[in-house]
C-alpha cells in the first residue's frame, strides 16, 4: 500500500533483517506503513560496520542506521521514536493517543532498555549468537541472566494482569521493542518455559508475536522457517 | 496539585530528574523515600514503581518512573517554559533522542559499574572493588569517551550547538565519577569532553541539584 508519493525518496535502513535492533526498526516501519529500502550491511564476513565509511554515520560501529534524505539517525530506540512521531497520522498509533499515553510508552520503553534488555541480552548472546560469531557461549552466564530476567518478568506478570499491553490497552513502541529478543530466546534459545509459566506474560507474548506485521517480518528475516 | 518527586537527594536518577525540573523552572516537592530502611521495597512504594526504585514522579494524574522517561515527560509538558531541552526542530529532537539512547546504552553501562565498584560498594557494604569488573569497564568507557571526544570536537553539545536532555542525562553518573571514582583523568585527559563537562556541570540547574538541602 503506497502511502508516500513516488516522488518522495524512501528512507534507507542500514542493517540486517535478523539483527535484534534492525528488527525493532523494521517492525516499526511496518506498523507505521512507511516504505523503506533495506541496505544490507555485512556484519559477519567483511565487517562493513567497522569500516570508516560506516563509522562516519555511526561512530559506535553498530547497526542499524536510518537515513531520511540527508538526515541520519542511529540507536534503534531513537529511530523508532522518530518514525512513530514523524508518521503519527498513519498506521498503528504506537505512542497511543494522549500525552499520558505517550508518557507511559516512554516509561515502558525505558523499562525495556534499562531492566529487560540487560537481563535478556546475555542469555541470547550465550545461547544463540556467540556460536554464530565463532565464540563460545557460556551456559553459566546465560542461566544467571535468565534468573535476572525472571525477576523482571514477575513484575511484567503483575502489570499485564491489569492491562492488555505494557503502556495500557493499546499496542505501542514499548511492546514492539520486546519482540526481537523474546523471539530469539524462545525459538532459538528454547527458553519459552519462562513465558509459559506466567499466564499474563504468555498471553501478551502470544498476542504481540501473532501480529501480521511481525509474521511478515519473520518470513523475510527467516525465509522458510515456521514459528508457532 | 504540586509536582512530587519521590527519591533521595543523593540518588543519581533522582538528581537527573531534579536537574530537569530546575532547567524547566518547575517547582516541585522532593518526598524522601527512606531507602536505608528499605522503604522502596515495601508495598506503598511498589504501588508507584513495581521495580522498587527511585525516582517516581507525580504530576496531576500522571505517575511515572524511569528517570529518562520522567525527564522526557517534563521536557514535553513544560515545553513553553525554561530551557528548551529537545532543540527546536524535529531533526534536532531526533538527535537529542539519539544521544539520550547513546547515554543509556553505551555511557551509563560503562560508567555506572565503575561508580558502584569504586565508590558506592564500599559505602553500602564495606567491600572493596572487583578489579576485573573495574578493568573491563575502564576499557569500555575509554572506547566510548574516544567517540565523545570526536563528537564534541565538532559540536558544542552532544545533539548540536544547543544544550539538551541528551547532555543532562550524563549529569549524575559523571558527577560521582569525577569526584569519587579516582578515575576522573579519563575525562580530564580528553580536552573536548573535559570542557563540555566543565560547561554543563556549571549550569545553575546542576549546581542547585548537588547543593540541594544545604543552606
Amino acid at each position: 500500500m503506497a502511502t508516500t508519493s513516488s516522488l518522495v525518496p524512501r528512507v534507507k535502513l542500514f542493517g540486517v533483517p535478523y539483527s535484534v535492533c534492525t528488527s525493532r526498526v523494521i517492525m516499526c516501519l511496518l506498523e507505521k506503513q512507511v516504505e523503506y529500502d533495506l541496505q544490507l550491511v555485512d556484519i559477519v564476513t567483511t565487517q562493513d560496520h567497522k569500516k570508516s565509511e560506516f563509522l562516519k554515520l555511526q561512530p559506535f560501529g553498530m547497526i542499524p542506521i536510518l537515513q531520511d534524505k540527508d538526515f541520519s539517525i542511529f540507536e534503534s530506540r531513537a529511530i523508532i521514536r522518530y518514525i512513530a512521531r514523524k508518521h503519527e497520522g498513519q498506521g498503528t498509533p504506537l505512542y497511543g493517543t494522549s500525552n499520558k499515553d505517550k508518557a507511559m510508552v516512554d516509561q515502558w520503553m525505558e523499562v525495556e532498555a534499562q531492566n529487560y534488555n540487560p537481563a535478556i541480552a546475555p542469555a541470547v548472546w550465550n545461547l544463540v549468537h556467540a556460536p554464530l560469531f565463532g565464540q563460545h557461549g557460556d551456559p553459566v552466564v546465560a542461566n544467571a541472566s535468565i534468573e535476572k530476567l525472571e525477576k523482571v518478568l514477575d513484575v511484567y506478570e503483575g502489570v499485564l494482569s491489569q492491562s492488555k499491553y505494557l503502556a495500557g490497552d493499546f499496542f505501542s513502541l514499548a511492546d514492539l521493542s520486546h519482540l526481537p529478543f523474546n523471539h530469539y530466546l524462545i525459538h532459538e534459545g528454547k527458553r519459552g518455559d519462562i513465558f509459559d509459566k506466567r499466564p499474563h506474560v504468555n498471553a501478551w507474548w502470544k498476542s504481540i508475536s501473532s501480529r501480521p506485521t511481525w509474521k511478515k517480518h519473520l518470513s523475510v528475516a527467516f525465509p522458510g522457517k515456521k514459528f508457532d | 496539585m504540586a509536582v512530587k518527586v519521590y527519591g533521595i537527594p543523593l540518588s543519581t536518577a533522582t538528581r537527573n530528574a531534579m536537574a530537569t525540573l530546575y532547567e524547566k523552572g518547575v517547582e516541585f516537592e522532593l518526598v524522601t523515600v527512606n531507602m536505608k530502611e528499605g522503604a522502596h521495597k515495601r508495598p506503598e512504594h511498589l504501588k508507584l514503581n513495581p521495580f522498587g526504585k527511585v525516582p517516581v514522579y507525580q504530576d496531576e494524574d500522571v505517575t511515572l518512573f524511569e528517570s529518562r522517561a520522567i525527564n522526557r515527560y517534563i521536557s514535553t509538558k513544560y515545553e513553553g517554559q525554561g530551557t528548551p531541552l529537545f532543540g527546536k526542530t524535529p531533526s534536532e529532537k531526533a538527535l537529542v533522542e539519539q544521544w539520550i539512547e547513546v547515554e543509556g546504552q553505551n555511557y551509563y553501562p560503562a560508567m555506572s559499574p565503575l561508580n558502584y565498584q569504586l565508590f558506592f560498594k564500599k559505602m553500602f557494604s564495606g567491600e572493596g572493588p572487583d578489579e576485573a569488573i573495574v578493568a573491563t569497564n575502564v576499557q569500555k568507557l575509554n572506547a566510548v569517551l574516544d567517540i565523545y571526544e570526536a563528537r564534541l570536537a565538532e559540536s558544542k553539545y552532544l545533539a548540536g550547538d544547543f544544550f539538551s536532555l541528551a547532555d543532562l542525562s550524563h549529569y549524575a553518573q559523571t558527577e560521582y565519577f569525577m569526584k569519587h571514582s579516582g578515575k576522573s583523568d579519563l575525562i580530564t585527559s580528553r580536552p573536548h569532553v573535559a570542557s563540555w563537562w566543565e560547561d554543563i556541570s556549571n549550569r545553575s540547574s546542576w549546581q542547585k541539584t548537588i547543593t540541594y538541602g544545604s543552606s
Side-chain angles (χ1 to χ4, degrees):
Chain A
M1 171 183 158
T3 50
T4 51
S5 143
S6 57
L7 295 173
V8 176
R10 295 173 163 201
V11 294
K12 283 201 178 87
L13 178 62
F14 293 83
V16 291
Y18 58 81
S19 128
V20 166
C21 299
T22 308
S23 291
R24 228 176 243 136
V25 177
I26 291 175
M27 187 57 186
C28 180
L29 289 163
L30 292 173
E31 288 282 340
K32 297 307 286 176
Q33 295 162 1
V34 174
E35 296 188 352
Y36 66 99
D37 285 325
L38 181 64
Q39 309 273 294
L40 294 173
V41 178
D42 186 340
I43 56 171
V44 180
T45 321
T46 50
Q47 303 245 316
D48 294 343
H49 56 315
K50 303 296 177 190
K51 298 200 173 131
S52 60
E53 208 178 294
F54 190 94
L55 293 172
K56 259 187 254 164
L57 295 176
Q58 214 297 23
F60 295 87
M62 295 195 274
I63 52 171
I65 304 171
L66 188 87
Q67 248 178 0
D68 189 354
K69 288 177 232 142
D70 56 355
F71 174 72
S72 168
I73 178 174
F74 58 87
E75 283 295 336
S76 64
R77 297 174 187 85
I79 296 172
I80 63 180
R81 284 182 166 99
Y82 171 73
I83 296 163
R85 213 168 266 141
K86 183 175 181 184
H87 299 280
E88 201 161 10
Q90 70 186 57
T92 311
L94 294 174
Y95 255 130
T97 48
S98 66
N99 285 333
K100 189 172 180 180
D101 283 349
K102 193 180 167 301
M104 297 306 293
V105 175
D106 272 331
Q107 174 183 280
W108 286 97
M109 284 187 76
E110 285 300 332
V111 167
E112 184 276 324
Q114 294 300 326
N115 297 278
Y116 202 89
N117 189 60
I120 196 172
V124 171
W125 172 256
N126 283 282
L127 293 173
V128 181
H129 290 133
L132 295 177
F133 286 89
Q135 291 179 46
H136 172 248
D138 187 340
V140 173
V141 174
N143 285 333
S145 149
I146 293 204
E147 222 179 283
K148 270 196 201 162
L149 180 61
E150 292 214 70
K151 294 201 171 84
V152 175
L153 286 176
D154 285 341
V155 178
Y156 277 46
E157 182 63 16
V159 170
L160 292 164
S161 70
Q162 304 291 316
S163 68
K164 191 171 180 208
Y165 300 99
L166 288 170
D169 289 323
F170 60 97
F171 178 78
S172 77
L173 289 178
D175 309 287
L176 182 156
S177 294
H178 292 75
L179 280 160
F181 262 134
N182 281 3
H183 172 84
Y184 272 119
L185 187 66
I186 293 167
H187 293 287
E188 308 280 352
K190 306 293 180 201
R191 288 309 308 262
D193 59 295
I194 66 174
F195 293 83
D196 292 340
K197 65 190 192 191
R198 293 171 171 89
H200 297 97
V201 170
N202 199 39
W204 165 75
W205 170 246
K206 292 272 182 283
S207 164
I208 67 174
S209 60
S210 62
R211 290 179 78 86
T213 41
W214 183 243
K215 288 196 177 297
K216 179 177 181 187
H217 169 63
L218 289 179
S219 70
V220 170
F222 308 100
K225 275 194 166 182
K226 287 245 177 284
F227 304 103
D228 297 315
Chain B
M1 185 188 139
V3 167
K4 284 196 174 114
V5 175
Y6 294 83
I8 55 173
L10 292 181
S11 140
T12 50
T14 305
R15 282 183 159 188
N16 281 349
M18 290 167 69
T20 308
L21 289 161
Y22 284 131
E23 283 287 344
K24 301 306 283 175
V26 176
E27 300 219 349
F28 65 94
E29 182 195 342
L30 180 66
V31 179
T32 317
V33 177
N34 197 335
M35 296 179 76
K36 269 206 185 119
E37 311 266 301
H40 54 311
K41 300 296 177 190
R42 288 203 285 270
E44 201 183 313
H45 189 83
L46 292 174
K47 252 191 306 203
L48 300 174
N49 181 346
F51 292 92
K53 295 196 226 178
V54 295
V56 174
Y57 173 87
Q58 265 179 346
D59 186 348
E60 292 176 306
D61 63 337
V62 169
T63 301
L64 284 180
F65 55 89
E66 286 297 331
S67 66
R68 293 175 190 82
I70 291 169
N71 297 343
R72 283 179 173 98
Y73 181 73
I74 296 165
S75 305
T76 305
K77 181 175 178 181
Y78 299 99
E79 205 164 13
Q81 64 186 71
T83 313
L85 292 174
F86 267 125
K88 295 202 180 83
T89 66
S91 300
E92 286 182 353
K93 183 168 195 176
L95 288 176
V96 175
E97 290 285 10
Q98 175 184 284
W99 286 97
I100 293 173
E101 287 302 318
V102 167
E103 183 274 327
Q105 295 298 316
N106 297 279
Y107 190 92
Y108 173 83
M111 188 176 273
S112 148
L114 289 173
N115 281 333
Y116 179 71
Q117 292 295 329
L118 297 166
F119 178 63
F120 290 110
K121 191 174 176 185
K122 188 137 202 193
M123 193 179 10
F124 295 146
S125 69
E127 285 171 35
D130 179 324
E131 293 299 344
I133 295 179
V134 171
T136 303
N137 286 290
V138 164
Q139 194 178 39
K140 271 192 195 169
L141 185 58
N142 266 319
V144 170
L145 288 175
D146 282 343
I147 295 168
Y148 275 52
E149 181 62 15
R151 172 60 184 166
L152 293 163
E154 62 182 22
S155 166
K156 188 171 183 203
Y157 298 100
L158 288 169
D161 289 327
F162 56 95
F163 177 79
S164 77
L165 196 51
D167 309 286
L168 187 156
S169 299
H170 294 74
Y171 267 152
Q173 288 291 333
T174 312
E175 177 74 24
Y176 277 115
F177 187 77
M178 293 301 285
K179 300 243 169 84
H180 299 289
S181 71
K183 303 256 177 226
S184 60
D185 60 294
L186 265 68
I187 301 271
T188 57
S189 63
R190 293 173 166 89
H192 295 97
V193 178
S195 73
W196 165 78
W197 175 248
E198 177 73 16
D199 179 305
I200 68 172
S201 60
N202 278 304
R203 291 178 73 88
S204 68
S205 62
W206 189 241
Q207 290 300 314
K208 272 194 200 156
T209 301
I210 59 176
T211 58
Y212 182 89
S214 7
S215 49

